[in-house]
């Protein structure tokens, strides 16, 4: 039994959820999101909450999709009410970020600047030249964009230079011995 899947997802005030077959559409103050549940689970809305159940309790894939579907629906509701945010930090001499129109411009020690176009549905801000904030209503999209920005120059273990998530621990290595 899935401990996560058993819990119903409560729909807060100001949020509407509609079920059309296996597709659930959630509309709130920040926008609208949709998710199509896999065929191995059944989704129902009753009593101001969304309930997820597997079709067959002995089906391994059905049990695996049960908790995942419930978590995805909870992320939809959290996104349209509060939104999601990922913060990135830039460490290194001369490493910086700036917003130029609809692009994020990164100087990360390469011979050229990296120009990253900001996709629709996501806002990227740079409160300081060494901080980047990615915010939006879709948790998956926010995390993917933050991961793509981090991948341009991931943190290296010797000096810690590069782009890292805020609060991420970088395991440091000792340098070459004399």
């Amino acid at each position: 039994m899935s401990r996560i899947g058993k819990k119903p997802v409560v729909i807060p005030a100001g949020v509407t959820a509609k079920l059309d077959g296996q597709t659930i559409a959630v509309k709130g103050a920040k926008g609208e999101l949709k998710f199509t549940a896999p065929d191995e689970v059944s989704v129902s809305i009753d009593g101001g909450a969304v309930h997820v159940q597997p079709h067959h309790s002995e089906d391994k894939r059905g049990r695996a999709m049960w908790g995942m579907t419930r978590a995805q629906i909870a992320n939809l509701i959290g996104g349209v009410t509060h939104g999601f945010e990922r913060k990135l930090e830039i460490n290194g001499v001369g490493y910086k970020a700036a917003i130029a129109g609809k692009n994020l411009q990164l100087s990360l020690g390469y011979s050229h600047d990296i120009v990253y176009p900001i996709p629709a549905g996501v806002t990227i801000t740079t409160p300081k030249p060494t901080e980047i904030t990615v915010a939006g209503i879709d948790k998956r999209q926010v995390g993917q964009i933050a991961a793509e920005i981090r991948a341009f120059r991931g943190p290296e273990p010797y000096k810690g230079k590069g782009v890292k998530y805020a609060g991420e621990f970088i395991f440091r290595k000792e340098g070459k011995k004399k």
Side-chain angles (χ1 to χ4, degrees), residues 12-24:
V15 175
T16 59
K18 292 181 186 170
L19 189 62
D20 182 30
Q22 288 291 94
T23 303
I24 184 164

Side-chain angles (χ1 to χ4, degrees), residues 49-102:
V50 180
H51 299 277
V52 181
Q53 288 294 322
H55 286 301
H56 304 289
S57 60
E58 65 273 355
D59 182 25
K60 186 173 183 179
R61 180 159 165 77
R63 288 193 320 264
M65 295 294 113
W66 186 13
M68 184 273 303
T69 302
R70 191 258 180 217
Q72 292 286 348
I73 293 169
N75 287 341
L76 295 183
I77 292 173
V80 297
T81 54
H82 304 85
F84 294 100
E85 181 179 270
R86 284 294 266 183
K87 293 186 182 215
L88 299 159
E89 296 173 351
I90 301 174
N91 296 324
V93 178
Y95 289 12
K96 62 184 181 205
I99 300 292
K102 294 198 176 269

Side-chain angles (χ1 to χ4, degrees), residues 4 10 32 38 41 47 62-63 71 80 84 92-93 103 127 164-165 169 175:
I4 299 287
V10 178
E32 184 175 356
V41 297
R63 288 193 320 264
V80 297
F84 294 100
V93 178
N103 296 321
K164 68 175 189 147
Y165 297 118
F169 175 75

Side-chain angles (χ1 to χ4, degrees), residues 85-156:
E85 181 179 270
R86 284 294 266 183
K87 293 186 182 215
L88 299 159
E89 296 173 351
I90 301 174
N91 296 324
V93 178
Y95 289 12
K96 62 184 181 205
I99 300 292
K102 294 198 176 269
N103 296 321
L104 174 67
Q105 194 162 11
L106 299 163
S107 299
L108 298 175
Y110 295 115
S111 61
H112 59 284
D113 284 353
I114 297 167
V115 178
Y116 185 80
I118 300 172
V122 172
T123 58
I124 298 178
T125 57
T126 54
K128 295 182 194 171
T130 59
E131 286 182 12
I132 302 169
T133 304
V134 182
I137 62 171
D138 189 358
K139 186 174 186 177
R140 185 183 302 172
Q141 187 181 23
V142 168
Q144 180 65 38
I145 290 168
E148 288 173 4
I149 293 170
R150 183 184 183 274
F152 287 128
R153 176 78 81 165
E156 55 97 17

